[in-house]
Amino acid sequence: MMKWSDVSIGARERERLEQTLGADEELRLLLRPRPEPDPNDGVTERRLERVISWIFLLMCLGITVKMAQVNPLSCILMLPAWAAGALGLCLPRLRRRRRLNTLYVITDRRVLMWEPNRCMITRFRSYPLRGGMVQEVGCKPGGYGNLVFAYAWDEMNGAREERVARQLGFIDIPQVKYVQAVLEKAIAEYEQKYHVSDR
């Protein structure tokens, strides 16, 4: 069992966790994904994003200079384009911030996930422990990997829920085999304690 003294999280996250955990619920493991994505994963796409953003900004500069020669006030029309180009350059930093604000927790009853979406609004998800919940374990060099759960990912879109094709689980976590062992032990203890069988 994990003690609060072993946990290094911010005051806001600690408060959120204390409010979420039940009175006799035991914390087994708390972890985050790695801050930076795998350097070998999607290198081409990330470089292409940067190159396209810089080309777009250079085009904006050329158009803005031409417009300024005709009418200086017309440069205001280029502000949204400049903002889009700047956003393209900021995407890696925004992704890093999302990863740093993601929190995965295993307790003696369930797994908890706090994950910010693209707008940095944190979504909370809780799934009960059950046998067979780990659908896939992906391990990469260095011990990082994914624990993909067999639960469906339901995304609220307006008034209706939609299934979104996305991996649901602990994504890009360190020591994935150790985390899998902790989770499997918690599942076994839960099933033994509450006489739950895998159906």
Side-chain angles (χ1 to χ4, degrees):
M1 184 175 114
M2 202 171 186
K3 297 185 183 75
W4 278 109
S5 56
D6 303 332
V7 178
S8 60
I9 56 174
R12 195 176 85 197
E13 287 175 323
R14 184 182 293 267
E15 182 183 335
R16 187 186 294 163
L17 194 54
E18 285 173 343
Q19 289 172 354
T20 306
L21 294 179
D24 56 345
E25 194 168 3
E26 295 176 5
L27 184 66
R28 295 297 170 91
L29 189 66
L30 184 141
L31 66 154
R32 296 182 192 280
R34 71 171 121 189
E36 299 294 338
D38 185 354
N40 302 320
D41 210 13
V43 174
T44 310
E45 291 87 354
R46 286 199 300 276
R47 285 183 182 157
L48 191 61
E49 271 179 7
R50 258 186 250 130
V51 168
I52 289 172
S53 296
W54 278 111
I55 290 171
F56 186 75
L57 283 172
L58 289 172
M59 287 173 51
C60 287
L61 178 64
I63 293 169
T64 305
V65 168
K66 292 279 187 192
M67 290 174 77
Q69 291 171 352
V70 177
N71 182 359
L73 289 177
S74 63
C75 294
I76 294 171
L77 298 173
M78 288 302 294
L79 286 177
W82 280 99
L87 180 64
L89 290 175
C90 292
L91 280 177
R93 190 167 288 181
L94 291 173
R95 286 191 193 111
R96 177 182 166 80
R97 191 169 166 213
R98 278 178 66 190
R99 286 170 166 270
L100 289 172
N101 288 325
T102 297
L103 189 64
Y104 299 133
V105 177
I106 299 173
T107 73
D108 62 331
R109 297 181 194 167
R110 56 191 172 151
V111 292
L112 311 171
M113 295 181 277
W114 283 272
E115 294 178 301
N117 63 14
R118 288 187 178 97
C119 301
M120 294 308 292
I121 297 169
T122 301
R123 291 184 166 235
F124 169 72
R125 299 189 185 276
S126 170
Y127 297 97
L129 296 180
R130 66 176 170 89
M133 73 181 282
V134 178
Q135 183 177 4
E136 179 187 331
V137 180
C139 196
K140 299 173 186 172
Y144 286 90
N146 301 334
L147 273 181
V148 180
F149 300 145
Y151 289 105
W153 181 273
D154 294 322
E155 189 76 39
M156 286 302 291
N157 184 8
R160 67 181 194 274
E161 280 195 357
E162 292 182 351
R163 292 283 167 95
V164 177
R166 182 183 165 210
Q167 289 183 328
L168 173 66
F170 295 171
I171 308 301
D172 206 17
I173 54 172
Q175 301 176 351
V176 68
K177 292 292 185 186
Y178 170 72
V179 175
Q180 181 186 12
V182 170
L183 181 58
E184 286 174 355
K185 184 179 177 191
I187 291 170
E189 289 174 1
Y190 177 80
E191 289 180 341
Q192 185 179 8
K193 184 176 180 180
Y194 296 102
H195 307 292
V196 178
S197 61
D198 183 18
R199 295 185 186 97

